[in-house]
Each structure stands twice: as structure tokens, then as C-alpha cells.
Amino acid sequence: MTDATSQIREIARNLLSEGRVQTVLGYEEAPLGLGLRPAFVREPSGTGRLVFDARPTLGLARYLPGEIASALARAEDGAAGSGGTTRGATVAVVAKGCDVRAVLRLVADRRIRRENVILIGVPCSGSIDEERFPRLIAKCSGCDARLPEGCDFTIETMAEPRPADRHRPLKVEDLEGMTADERYTFWQRQFARCIRCFACRSVCPACGCRECALESRSPVWLERDVNPSTQSMFHFMRLMHTAGRCVDCGECERVCPVGIPLTLLTRKLMSDIRTLFGVEHPETPGDSEPLARFGLSDPEEFI
Ligand code: SF4
Ligand code: SF4
Ligand code: SF4
């Protein structure tokens, strides 16, 4: 068995050489030893740049809508120049289990079509940077998506889960064990650190509005001043807009520069949504968006 990087390079080279995809989205070394960064490979000769290992890095799903649109535009330009027609554009993407869920979220929201994506799935033991920060990152703690499902290619690799929870002080059950006052104090302290950089919103595959309500200037839903009320409002609005649709990819927490445990919030929310509305698979269209529909059997004790 060759390593994951070699297998990914070979698959990418074949896909590009055979013209089955216009782009392969994967990872390459960032300059200055800063870890892995996204790579957009469009020629077979570029596949040698592709790298894959356990170092934490950005999930690539959020790049798919833009890259598929650009690949389509390039294909149409080429077809117009040669007097022909185009049948669309396909992009291959390297995806761990959490990334596959994010891709399915985009498909469920009709932001991309599944037939425009080739999934190169990589079984995962959890993200960790052995040299710089030798701890499993928080989003991998308790992950149940280590083996990606439904991919077009699956990399052969061992994916034994690494020991988790060493630096995760709280779980959803701990939150549920607090009194309402304790929970309120806990979250006020967390939200007070938020610098409203919008990274959690921008990276989320479930956030897809063309104009985000959090940034709208007409009407103004959220004032720009910083006080406990607006800080809470920011987080509650973001949370409610992903209610029933969050796929637990954990990217919001991974990108937060001030370390707010956002998946604690999203996992609690999805646990309640599961109990109240029976949503088990938020990446499946029929199971999604319980708060966007009305049903006569909906629970209403809280109204
Ligand atoms: S969340 Fe799961 S699939 Fe994603 S990097 Fe962590 S362990 Fe791997
Ligand atoms: S990523 Fe963190 S700091 Fe930035 S807006 Fe989200 S919660 Fe706030
Ligand atoms: S809210 Fe966070 S965990 Fe949920 S889909 Fe968005 S980025 Fe992923």
C-alpha cells in the first residue's frame, strides 16, 4: 500500500489527463513551513504539488461552488472559441469524512450538483500537528465521520482513531448538567471574547445566503457596537440559521481565532433538533430544515 499522498497524486493525474475533471482541489505545502494550504490543480503536471497528512487544515467544500462555476465559465469560453458546446464542469476534491458531509450539505442546498463533484475520500485518524501542536484538534474529539462514505475514490490507509478528549473540558452532557444561570454565565464569558471576524460564518457549509443577515445594512438586524446583547445576538442568529442543517463538520470551531467552543453550541442544538424533530441526517434533504417547515405534528410545548 502506497501512502495517501502518492495515491491522491495518481488519482488526480489520471482524472486530469483523461479530461474527467477541470480542477482537483487538494492540499499543498504552504510557504515558510506554515503547514498545509488549499491547492487548485488544473494540469496533470501540477499534481506533484499535492500533499496529504494529518496536519489540521481547511475543509475544501466551501471552495466547490466557486470553482465549479469558474470551471464551467472556462469550459464555455473554450467551447465558444471552437464553435462547440459544453456539457458542464467537474471538480474533484480531497475529502475527509467531515468534508464529505459538508459537500452533501451544499448538494442538499442545491448550491452544487453531486454529478459535478468527484469525491476522493480519505479515512482519517483525526487532525494533529505532531511537531507544532501535538494534540488532536477539538473538532475531532468524538468524531463519528472518520470513514468517508459514498466517495468516488477511497484512499487506502489505516485510520485508527487517536485518543481524544485530552483538552476538551466540556461536552454537551456537561452543559445539560448546568443550571440555566450557570449556562448563561458560561456563554456570556465565551461570547465576550468574540471579535466578530465572521470566520465561523464564512467557513460554514450550511451558511449560503447571498446576503448574510448578520451583515445586512438594510434592514439592520445586528448593530455593530459590542455589548453582551449584540454579542449574544450574533451567535444566536448564526446558530438558528444553521438549526437542523449543521452537519457537525466542526470547521466553525477550528477557525475561531479566540477559541470559542462553537461545536458545543451546535452539537447541543442538533441534539435538541434530533429529539424534537427526529432529524438524524441533516445532510439529507428530506431530513433538513425542520424550522423552515410547519407540520401539524410539530412539538409546540415551548411556544
Ligand atoms: S472531524 Fe473527523 S473526519 Fe474530520 S478531521 Fe476530525 S477526525 Fe477527521
Ligand atoms: S470565528 Fe470566533 S471570533 Fe470570529 S466571529 Fe466566529 S466566534 Fe467570533
Ligand atoms: S455550524 Fe459549524 S459544525 Fe455546523 S455545519 Fe457550520 S461550520 Fe460545520
Side-chain angles (χ1 to χ4, degrees):
M1 183 166 64
T2 53
D3 64 10
T5 293
S6 306
Q7 294 177 59
I8 290 169
R9 286 178 182 174
E10 186 181 346
I11 292 168
R13 196 165 42 246
N14 291 340
L15 288 172
L16 287 164
S17 308
E18 292 163 9
R20 290 176 61 193
V21 300
Q22 280 69 43
T23 309
V24 175
L25 269 173
Y27 299 103
E28 65 184 353
E29 290 289 348
L32 306 173
L34 290 174
L36 299 178
R37 69 176 182 183
F40 296 67
V41 179
R42 300 189 178 107
E43 302 291 339
S45 58
T47 52
R49 286 194 280 136
L50 293 169
V51 178
F52 187 90
D53 59 34
R55 282 174 288 172
T57 185
L58 201 61
L60 298 171
R62 277 295 302 228
Y63 292 106
L64 281 172
E67 187 55 27
I68 290 171
S70 337
L72 186 57
R74 288 196 303 275
E76 283 174 347
D77 281 350
S82 62
T85 56
T86 174
R87 286 186 300 150
T90 306
V91 172
V93 62
V94 174
K96 302 181 292 294
C98 51
D99 307 320
V100 171
R101 287 181 177 176
V103 171
L104 295 179
R105 177 74 262 157
L106 297 174
V107 172
D109 288 345
R110 299 185 187 173
R111 297 176 62 201
I112 56 173
R113 292 182 182 180
R114 179 64 182 87
E115 59 265 31
N116 292 129
V117 180
I118 287 188
L119 286 168
I120 305 173
V122 192
C124 175
S125 298
S127 285
I128 190 168
D129 189 339
E130 300 281 2
E131 284 181 15
R132 285 151 43 108
F133 189 67
R135 284 180 167 179
L136 200 63
I137 61 173
K139 81 168 198 171
C140 302
S141 171
C143 168
D144 61 356
R146 290 196 157 93
L147 299 176
E149 293 175 3
C151 294
D152 303 283
F153 297 90
T154 302
I155 300 303
E156 290 180 27
T157 177
M158 303 298 288
E160 292 297 321
R162 291 188 165 88
D165 289 337
R166 282 184 296 172
H167 70 305
R168 164 71 86 181
L170 281 175
K171 296 185 187 149
V172 169
E173 307 87 79
D174 300 316
L175 262 193
E176 290 173 340
M178 294 179 183
T179 64
D181 282 347
E182 286 169 341
R183 275 201 300 273
Y184 179 81
T185 305
F186 173 80
W187 284 115
Q188 285 303 315
R189 283 189 184 141
Q190 299 293 337
F191 296 159
R193 288 189 282 129
C194 172
I195 55 173
R196 277 201 236 161
C197 66
F198 283 77
C200 52
R201 187 283 315 264
S202 298
V203 81
C204 175
C207 286
C209 298
R210 286 199 179 91
E211 186 184 358
C212 176
L214 295 167
E215 291 183 288
S216 168
R217 292 296 95 198
S218 177
V220 175
W221 296 105
L222 181 71
E223 295 292 348
R224 291 189 178 183
D225 58 338
V226 175
N227 60 54
S229 169
T230 54
Q231 292 294 81
S232 299
M233 184 63 120
F234 173 90
H235 286 278
F236 294 149
M237 280 177 72
R238 195 187 76 80
L239 200 62
M240 293 312 288
H241 285 202
T242 59
R245 302 170 55 254
C246 165
V247 291
D248 197 24
C249 70
E251 281 294 277
C252 49
E253 179 163 327
R254 193 188 59 73
V255 297
C256 179
V258 295
I260 298 175
L262 293 169
T263 55
L264 200 53
L265 263 184
T266 53
R267 285 175 183 170
K268 167 62 179 155
L269 180 77
M270 289 307 292
S271 160
D272 289 348
I273 294 272
R274 196 176 305 118
T275 306
L276 289 167
F277 297 95
V279 172
E280 293 288 345
H281 303 288
E283 67 277 18
T284 307
D287 244 5
S288 302
E289 312 222 17
L291 302 191
R293 291 194 308 257
F294 170 73
L296 290 176
S297 60
D298 282 351
E300 56 181 12
E301 298 82 46
F302 52 91
I303 296 178

